[in-house]
Amino acid sequence: MSINRVILLGNVGKDPEVRSTTTGDRVATFSVATSERWTDKNTGEKRESTEWHTVVVFNQALIKVIDQHLTKGSRVAIEGKMKTRKWQHSDGTDRYTTEVVIGRFDGSLSLEGKPSGATRSEDAYGSTKTRESYSGSAGGGSSDRLDDEIPF
């Protein structure tokens, strides 16, 4: 048995592109940046490495959310499959592109945190709470967290 599952938590690099296929279905494409930070042991310098991932979404319900709420800088959690496709460049050479694909019926996308300009008292994306609202993991105050007291 084998598993092809990719999970990313990062920031959208530019506004998503949503286009229609010849059959009328819509496809969304955007890039997500994931970064790791460390301190160089030899120099003591802070270092950072960023990877860029192309995400392609075929799930029509998620495309509506992407179209309405996803913009450059949005923090997202993505779960999908890694796929590599072959195509031919105009000079005749074969090229390969590796993408994270959220299919029609598998994978997920979760908006994380508040969009820029939202205040703590506002819901991040309309009436749907985000993980930040519940966990306070992005520095939210105690009013943003669930009550930790056990009722019994």
Side-chain angles (χ1 to χ4, degrees):
M1 183 167 115
S2 62
I3 296 174
N4 179 350
R5 188 57 55 201
V6 176
I7 300 172
L8 300 173
L9 176 63
N11 296 311
V12 176
K14 63 179 182 176
D15 289 342
E17 176 186 320
V18 178
R19 62 190 188 284
S20 294
T21 65
T22 55
T23 61
D25 288 336
R26 297 185 339 145
V27 178
T29 306
F30 57 95
S31 59
V32 172
T34 57
S35 298
E36 62 178 310
R37 294 177 183 90
W38 70 95
T39 302
D40 187 302
K41 290 180 182 180
N42 298 324
T43 65
E45 284 183 70
K46 301 276 186 200
R47 308 284 241 153
E48 181 175 359
S49 175
T50 301
E51 291 288 329
W52 287 94
H53 314 273
T54 301
V55 179
V56 181
V57 181
F58 294 96
N59 181 303
Q60 299 303 298
L62 288 179
I63 291 172
K64 288 180 186 176
V65 172
I66 290 166
D67 212 13
Q68 293 174 1
H69 300 293
L70 211 61
T71 58
K72 178 180 178 179
S74 296
R75 189 150 178 85
V76 294
I78 303 289
E79 185 175 345
K81 291 182 179 181
M82 185 73 68
K83 295 209 176 186
T84 301
R85 61 183 170 87
K86 180 179 173 182
W87 55 281
Q88 202 164 57
H89 190 267
S90 58
D91 66 8
T93 59
D94 289 341
R95 301 284 174 103
Y96 297 87
T97 301
T98 301
E99 303 163 324
V100 177
V101 176
I102 299 175
R104 291 180 175 280
F105 306 108
D106 64 346
S108 66
L109 176 143
S110 174
L111 304 170
E112 302 291 320
K114 298 180 189 303
S116 57
T119 64
R120 287 187 183 183
S121 62
E122 295 174 8
D123 284 347
Y125 298 94
S127 61
T128 303
K129 297 277 186 187
T130 63
R131 289 184 183 169
E132 177 190 79
S133 300
Y134 292 119
S135 69
S137 61
S142 61
S143 63
D144 289 340
R145 293 184 223 153
L146 291 175
D147 189 356
D148 287 334
E149 292 184 42
I150 299 173
F152 49 89

